[in-house]
Amino acid sequence: MTSRAYFAGLALLTMASAHGAALSAETPADTVYRNGYVYTVDANDSVRQALAVRAGRIVYVGDNAGARARTGKATKVIDLKGRMLMPGLIDGHMHPQSGGSRLLNCSLNYEALTVPQFQSRIQACLDKDKKSSPDRWLVVVNWFQQGMLPDGVQTSAATLDALKTDRPVIVRSSFGHSVQLNSKGIKLAGITRDTKDPAGGKITRDAGGDATGLLEDAAQDMAMNLLPPLTVAENLAASSAALAAMRKQGITSFLDAYTDPETMTAFTDLHKQGKLTARAHFAVLIDLDKGATPQSAVAELLKQQKQFDQGPTTVAPSMQVRHAKLFMDGVISAPAFTGAMLEPYLVNKGTAEKPDWQPGPSAGPASYFTQDALKTTLTELANARIDPHIHVDGDRAVRETLDAIEYLRSTPAGKDVRPALAHDEIVAPADYPRFARLDVTPVLSFQWAKPAPDTVGALRDYMGPARYATVEPQAVLLNAGARIAYGSDWPVDPLDEWFALKVGVTRTAAPDAGKEYAGRLGAQPGMPRAAVLRAITMNAAYTLRQEALTGSLEVGKLADMIVLDRNFFTIPEEDIANIKVLQTVVGGKIVYQAGGMR
Ligand SMILES: [Zn+2]
């Protein structure tokens, strides 16, 4: 140290002891990142060169020279070598517990399989677990039922009876609308020729009237109810696996969009062990089905909040219970047609060769909340300072929910609420501007806006061309001024946030998806890259009431951030899907690091 620098330092120290603020400004940082493409997601989407972290918070964002001024002897300096540093991902709608538990199950990984491949994959799981008793169910998950090869091939109990096992087998489709059983499974489920279809479900039968073991929608419960609930250890393993998957993806905060006390107990245990590596938010279901009133349902939510909520956000990740989950309808996809639509689903009144698609008898079910019940529930939630996260898939569910929120906004309690509408697969164009006007955040799963078995073919037929042209209204809602947030809905799809962001930009499937899924979904534009990143950072932070502390890289905010192996903004669009996270930091602490970081 030269004597001049020494005296300058001494002078600073003297000033610092007189003025505490000066001390904190010049205290060396714990970590400095330099030579980077620091994408801040601030109000102007500024790009900087360097960033400094102290005590888990961002204390500087600027250039290398400014970072150098905050570098002391003990400061860890990370040379980004031009790599992109950005805010950690915030997943505004996922199901971590079922996602995590599926990582531990026998999984078909959402792959398109031939029947022999399907069989050999399941046989491998059986062979790995030879000690299980003959009555123990083998649960197989993430079956891409619509993607079986060749196109249109059907499975039945016989497909699974060919396996070498005495155990009952249940294969669950990734869409969640069907399961396939083997013959032992059918027997244990008590399904015979005479068993009637349950309400809202279907037992698929062969030409002779015998059950094929394929159960759809509500009929799935006949087998699912026989599976033992997860044990405490299994729940812990599931949340632990979920967090590991999130770290690798770069997720630093998430909303469990439909939780239960078992899940929150598991996350509480991990928190106690210092293993909670993401800021965890939980939405408790409000269901008026079983005699509950809006008042009693909200009281139950508050009881769970009291038990599991850990108070305001801290530097170290913690748990918050500040959201309610409501379902207004089901899904618009076949064969469920449980999405509540303004106009009927079309049915084929012609023949297979000469189809004639005309309005059918059904526009989906009545919304699961009446307008009165929804208004009362939203008001109760607003009074309890709980934000509603509402499942709406069809355009009638969307409209009725916006109507209730319009009422809510006109009341004193409703001014400060942050309603989020999840999914929004079809929205009537007249309702696009209402999201901005009523300050309602659409929480969208960008990866759905691609040609896929559930978005091409049948969907176009039963929606008709006009409605089909509006499916997955992402950029159009954005252009209508909506604050779009992202939610993966994992495990409906694999947890692959970078693929989802790619689809948000391109509206194309993966290159290996097959010829029939080439090209873009419809004529709608994709979203700009900056908007896609804002959706999974700042805007998702807003829905979690965490935007003052996370979602962007700005001085004073928590150091939740990720380093990428390539630059999101300069690589070709399709390459966005290949982005790998090299480092994930939560509250200044590195929770994940890939080999390529050094
Ligand atoms: Zn969901």
Side-chain angles (χ1 to χ4, degrees):
M1 190 187 265
T2 66
S3 62
R4 185 184 300 188
Y6 176 76
F7 283 112
L10 197 67
L12 252 177
L13 264 176
T14 317
M15 274 168 55
S17 47
H19 308 281
L23 174 71
S24 76
E26 295 300 332
T27 308
D30 299 331
T31 311
V32 157
Y33 290 81
R34 56 197 301 274
N35 293 329
Y37 182 97
V38 180
Y39 188 78
T40 61
V41 198
D42 66 7
N44 305 309
D45 286 336
S46 312
V47 178
R48 301 279 187 248
Q49 189 176 32
L51 178 147
V53 177
R54 190 173 60 237
R57 288 177 190 269
I58 298 166
V59 292
Y60 176 76
V61 186
D63 58 13
N64 284 344
R68 196 173 308 122
R70 283 154 180 87
T71 304
K73 271 206 220 107
T75 303
K76 182 174 169 190
V77 178
I78 296 176
D79 185 349
L80 286 167
K81 301 182 180 130
R83 288 193 194 105
M84 181 161 160
L85 176 75
M86 62 167 277
L89 305 185
I90 301 181
D91 193 323
H93 179 123
M94 61 146 65
H95 305 280
Q97 205 65 355
S98 52
S101 87
R102 289 192 201 191
L103 292 174
L104 308 170
N105 274 128
C106 176
S107 172
L108 299 177
N109 290 330
Y110 311 84
E111 287 170 47
L113 301 172
T114 63
V115 169
Q117 287 169 333
F118 175 84
Q119 290 168 320
S120 76
R121 295 281 285 274
I122 299 171
Q123 186 67 54
C125 294
L126 289 162
D127 293 347
K128 256 205 313 214
D129 179 19
K130 284 205 163 130
K131 281 189 216 115
S132 277
S133 85
D135 283 329
R136 190 181 153 86
W137 286 87
L138 175 76
V139 182
V140 183
V141 299
N142 301 334
W143 171 36
F144 187 13
Q145 186 193 5
Q146 299 89 332
M148 290 292 286
L149 300 169
D151 224 15
V153 71
Q154 303 285 331
T155 57
S156 71
T159 317
L160 297 172
D161 291 345
L163 303 173
K164 290 192 254 338
T165 187
D166 296 326
R167 296 172 60 186
V169 178
I170 179 169
V171 186
R172 300 174 57 187
S173 83
S174 56
F175 282 50
H177 295 288
S178 39
V179 297
Q180 175 69 60
L181 308 180
N182 64 355
S183 290
K184 178 142 186 196
I186 296 175
K187 203 171 141 211
L188 288 179
I191 298 168
T192 67
R193 287 178 66 90
D194 306 322
T195 309
K196 296 227 163 31
D197 287 354
K202 189 173 157 204
I203 301 168
T204 306
R205 296 165 207 272
D206 62 20
D210 285 314
T212 67
L214 188 70
L215 307 178
E216 279 168 11
D217 288 314
Q220 298 178 96
D221 292 343
M222 303 173 86
M224 294 293 288
N225 289 343
L226 301 176
L227 305 179
L230 296 188
T231 63
V232 171
E234 285 167 339
N235 261 311
L236 211 52
S239 22
S240 183
L243 286 169
M246 287 190 229
R247 292 192 289 272
K248 202 171 166 194
Q249 289 280 313
I251 299 168
T252 53
S253 295
F254 67 89
L255 174 70
D256 175 349
Y258 180 176
T259 198
D260 52 51
E262 292 75 20
T263 297
M264 289 190 282
T265 300
F267 276 97
T268 304
D269 284 353
L270 290 177
H271 177 258
K272 272 188 208 139
Q273 297 170 28
K275 291 178 181 165
L276 186 64
T277 51
R279 305 184 191 284
H281 296 254
F282 299 87
V284 176
L285 183 70
I286 297 283
D287 182 356
L288 304 184
D289 256 6
K290 291 159 195 131
T293 63
Q295 290 77 10
S296 71
V298 173
E300 170 58 30
L301 184 158
L302 293 177
K303 209 173 93 193
Q304 294 189 28
Q305 180 185 51
K306 199 165 172 212
Q307 189 177 356
F308 295 108
D309 184 275
Q310 298 176 338
T313 302
T314 52
V315 171
S318 60
M319 294 171 55
Q320 285 166 334
V321 186
R322 299 194 300 224
H323 290 83
K325 174 66 176 289
L326 290 76
F327 282 89
M328 274 297 271
D329 66 347
V331 290
I332 58 170
S333 51
F337 302 120
T338 47
M341 299 296 298
L342 291 165
E343 303 291 336
Y345 292 98
L346 307 189
V347 294
N348 186 2
K349 294 197 169 153
T351 61
E353 294 75 40
K354 272 193 98 182
D356 176 23
W357 292 89
Q358 296 290 340
S362 168
S367 293
Y368 299 165
F369 281 78
T370 64
Q371 193 62 198
D372 272 354
L374 187 58
K375 283 179 183 169
T376 313
T377 304
L378 292 179
T379 304
E380 289 290 326
L381 289 168
N383 288 332
R385 301 191 62 76
I386 299 288
D387 288 320
H389 188 96
I390 310 174
H391 172 119
V392 287
D393 210 32
D395 54 10
R396 176 160 45 87
V398 173
R399 175 163 297 171
E400 291 180 5
T401 304
L402 291 172
D403 289 347
I405 292 169
E406 186 154 0
Y407 159 81
L408 184 72
R409 288 295 192 210
S410 72
T411 67
K415 299 278 186 271
D416 186 42
V417 178
R418 296 189 178 182
L421 264 56
H423 310 321
D424 311 281
E425 290 201 88
I426 294 199
V427 178
D431 289 328
Y432 294 162
R434 297 180 78 195
F435 283 85
R437 206 169 66 229
L438 297 170
D439 198 8
V440 172
T441 308
V443 179
L444 306 179
S445 300
F446 297 153
Q447 71 275 13
W448 295 351
K450 65 178 188 303
D454 57 324
T455 55
V456 298
L459 183 67
R460 189 184 342 226
D461 292 336
Y462 60 73
M463 283 299 167
R467 280 188 299 193
Y468 183 71
T470 70
V471 292
E472 309 299 345
Q474 302 177 353
V476 288
L477 283 172
L478 179 75
N479 294 340
R483 176 198 308 102
I484 310 269
Y486 175 76
S488 63
D489 211 12
W490 181 51
V492 169
D493 300 286
L495 187 64
D496 193 346
E497 312 285 73
W498 300 97
F499 173 72
L501 298 181
K502 192 274 310 192
V503 180
V505 173
T506 63
R507 291 176 79 92
T508 58
D512 61 359
K515 274 202 306 288
E516 62 273 48
Y517 307 123
R520 300 163 59 88
L521 178 69
Q524 289 181 47
M527 292 174 68
R529 295 191 201 204
V532 157
L533 270 205
R534 184 164 287 270
I536 198 168
T537 53
M538 258 322 254
N539 291 354
Y542 179 88
T543 66
L544 302 179
R545 291 188 186 262
Q546 214 182 255
E547 79 281 6
L549 290 169
T550 67
S552 65
L553 302 181
E554 295 178 85
V555 171
K557 285 198 167 186
L558 297 167
D560 290 5
M561 45 198 201
I562 52 180
V563 179
L564 310 185
D565 74 336
R566 61 199 87 185
N567 189 313
F568 180 87
F569 286 96
T570 57
I571 56 178
E573 288 181 344
E574 287 293 335
D575 197 28
I576 293 171
N578 302 321
I579 287 176
K580 297 274 178 299
V581 172
L582 297 178
Q583 186 183 81
T584 305
V585 178
V586 181
K589 196 172 153 198
I590 297 172
V591 297
Y592 171 79
Q593 183 141 291
M597 190 61 195
R598 264 152 266 227

